[in-house]
Amino acid sequence: MAQVLEFKLPDLGEGLTEAEIVRWLVQVGDVVAVDQPVVEVETAKASVEVPCPYGGVVTARYGEEGAELPVGAPLLTVAVGEPDGKSTAGSGNVLVGYGTSESPGRRRRVRPVALTGGGASGNGASGARAAVNGTKAASPGVNGTAAAPVSSLPATALPSDGPVPVISPLVRRLAREGGLDLRRLAGSGPDGLILRADVERALRAGAGQGSGRTAEAPVAAMPVQAVASASASASVPGEVRVPLKGIRGAVADKLSRSRREIPDATCWVDADATELMRARAAMNAAGGTKISLVALLARICAAALARFPELNSSVDTEAREIVQHPYVHLGFAAQTERGLVVPVVRDAHTRDAESLTGEFARLTEAARAGTLTPGELTGGTFTLNNYGVFGVDGSTPIVNHPEAAMLGVGRIVPKPWVHEGELAVRQVVQLSLTFDHRVCDGGTAGGFLRYVADCVEQPAVLLRTL
């Protein structure tokens, strides 16, 4: 006998709590195999394809392309067979490398009870779900929308104490701005989880009925669209509003946190990079892999961090401790069509120039294709920012939280320079170091930057540490 199993948006790891549906890879009625990718989602870290742990026929999809879903919300349902009484728990490999969970256990079936004024959808795919404390909610249909609106329940629907079944902070904010008591609402998500759609329907229903709101709280009777557009109503004609979500939203949050928590300072120096450019040309003329300039700069950074480990650290604010890392996981800023990302080269201190060149190329290509994994975007201990590719000389970059420092490299251009007592045209670059003043003082930061500049001007200095 076929059994309908629900596949929820899995934990994608790295503290991610929601994801946006980019595109569906299957349609209702399609036959899917175990661990077949069924949907492409975009998180604050990267775009990933999510495989389904069940094999069978897709009976329902929840959410349209562009919709944001919290972790734990239903993605789709699959009708699977259960021959010879074998378990249909699935593979358990929900998303290898993205917070894989154990195989889900069997759930106790609860007979659905219809709500007043709303019924279960007629698709028979999932039926009504059990909410908290035995209350029921209408089940979504094939397209992810409920067959009947979910209205506010009586005050006795949920006890005044106990948890409210809400995961997403956005849902709580919408309810708060709309004056909606979440304890009076039964969710349509799994196990009674209250979703954004439930709050929006309840606010629309309250605006239409008008009886559930008092004259003293007119904002509570407003539909969520009106609340959300309150600030937008004052916009000047022709303004364009871009939502801060996905990578752009993650960048905004991280940079804001860095500015709030890290007392940063910046120092900079001009350096003659002529000898470094000659050394690179000699390496590439010898044949083999072409060594990139950023790989040589990364090698210099690793050597400098070995001399000044204070800058390869982070601050544990709760313990009030500086944590110095025994490894160098080097991040580098990469501009893509989807926004700024910082892929991380693991164990950069153990790699030579050829290995660094290959890893930079691989991660850059993955960044442009949008296929970087969360593990390749996190865990950095120091960042190299080559903003010279944009044709600028200098910058005061924001430290990549929770790291303690970032080296910025400007463009390398011919400039007049005093070399060996004579004025000459040399290849000059501006180097800048932005650092967390909690982990070190200016003397350490200046010593680090001076050593980097010395290696740029005289690459033979690196021979002492090879």
Side-chain angles (χ1 to χ4, degrees):
M1 178 180 179
Q3 181 182 7
V4 176
L5 299 178
E6 181 180 78
F7 174 44
K8 302 176 182 178
L9 178 65
D11 179 5
L12 303 178
E14 305 295 340
L16 302 174
T17 60
E18 59 187 8
E20 177 182 343
I21 297 176
V22 177
R23 63 188 178 100
W24 285 101
L25 306 178
V26 296
Q27 303 291 331
V28 174
D30 286 355
V31 177
V32 295
V34 173
D35 290 338
Q36 174 182 333
V38 293
V39 64
E40 181 183 347
V41 300
E42 180 181 88
T43 69
K45 302 291 185 182
S47 291
V48 295
E49 292 184 352
V50 181
C52 178
Y54 311 124
V57 179
V58 178
T59 58
R61 298 187 321 190
Y62 303 109
E64 300 295 332
E65 294 181 356
E68 290 188 356
L69 298 179
V71 170
L75 272 177
L76 49 77
T77 54
V78 179
V80 301
E82 194 172 4
D84 303 325
K86 294 182 180 179
S87 172
T88 56
S91 70
N93 299 323
V94 174
L95 200 56
V96 176
Y98 297 88
T100 301
S101 61
E102 297 296 329
S103 299
R106 291 186 178 277
R107 301 174 185 154
R108 180 172 61 88
R109 291 181 177 273
V110 181
R111 179 176 300 175
V113 178
L115 285 171
T116 303
S121 60
N123 64 355
S126 57
R129 296 192 182 284
V132 174
N133 296 325
T135 59
K136 313 295 178 190
S139 170
V142 172
N143 61 358
T145 58
V150 179
S151 58
S152 298
L153 299 180
T156 58
L158 292 173
S160 59
D161 54 354
V164 178
V166 177
I167 294 179
S168 171
L170 175 62
V171 172
R172 292 184 182 274
R173 180 173 64 82
L174 290 176
R176 182 172 63 251
E177 293 177 350
L180 179 65
D181 185 359
L182 290 174
R183 297 184 183 278
R184 297 175 178 267
L185 187 64
S188 62
D191 300 324
L193 179 69
I194 298 176
L195 306 178
R196 177 177 180 175
D198 299 328
V199 174
E200 293 176 345
R201 282 194 295 269
L203 290 173
R204 286 195 297 268
Q209 295 171 359
S211 59
R213 305 285 186 267
T214 62
E216 298 175 357
V219 176
M222 294 173 63
V224 68
Q225 289 86 350
V227 175
S229 62
S231 60
S233 61
S235 300
V236 177
E239 281 186 346
V240 177
R241 290 178 173 259
V242 180
L244 280 175
K245 63 179 183 178
I247 287 184
R248 185 72 264 163
V251 170
D253 293 340
K254 195 163 191 176
L255 294 181
S256 298
R257 183 177 182 182
S258 179
R259 274 291 187 235
R260 287 194 305 269
E261 297 185 9
I262 298 179
D264 59 355
T266 301
C267 53
W268 56 90
V269 65
D270 289 340
D272 180 2
T274 305
E275 296 303 322
L276 180 66
M277 300 301 288
R278 287 176 178 172
R280 175 175 175 247
M283 292 179 189
N284 292 338
T289 303
K290 298 295 184 181
I291 304 301
S292 66
L293 178 61
V294 69
L296 295 179
L297 293 171
R299 191 69 187 87
I300 292 173
C301 284
L305 290 172
R307 284 176 168 253
F308 301 92
E310 298 91 338
L311 294 169
N312 189 48
S313 62
S314 57
V315 177
D316 186 340
T317 55
E318 293 185 0
R320 293 186 62 82
E321 295 175 341
I322 298 173
V323 182
Q324 292 187 7
H325 306 293
Y327 45 80
V328 177
H329 292 341
L330 185 66
F332 65 99
Q335 191 70 39
T336 71
E337 293 182 355
R338 300 171 62 246
L340 177 68
V341 295
V342 184
V344 177
V345 176
R346 303 281 170 179
D347 298 317
H349 61 295
T350 65
R351 297 174 180 267
D352 58 21
E354 287 189 358
S355 175
L356 287 168
T357 296
E359 188 66 357
F360 277 123
R362 184 188 70 82
L363 292 173
T364 299
E365 181 60 30
R368 291 170 179 168
T371 58
L372 288 170
T373 66
E376 293 171 331
L377 285 165
T378 54
T381 62
F382 186 88
T383 295
L384 174 62
N385 187 355
N386 183 20
Y387 45 73
V389 297
F390 301 118
V392 297
D393 296 324
S395 174
T396 55
I398 300 175
V399 176
N400 187 23
H401 185 279
E403 298 169 13
M406 175 186 292
L407 178 69
V409 182
R411 61 176 179 164
I412 301 177
V413 293
K415 288 185 177 180
W417 190 269
V418 176
H419 176 66
E420 296 180 350
E422 296 182 356
L423 187 63
V425 176
R426 306 286 286 181
Q427 300 292 320
V428 179
V429 61
Q430 185 180 97
L431 306 171
S432 65
L433 177 71
T434 299
F435 65 98
D436 186 342
H437 225 314
R438 296 173 297 179
V439 304
C440 70
D441 296 323
T444 301
F448 174 92
L449 189 58
R450 186 64 256 170
Y451 178 79
V452 170
D454 289 344
C455 290
V456 168
E457 294 185 338
Q458 302 178 40
V461 173
L462 282 175
L463 293 176
R464 296 178 59 90
T465 59
L466 292 180

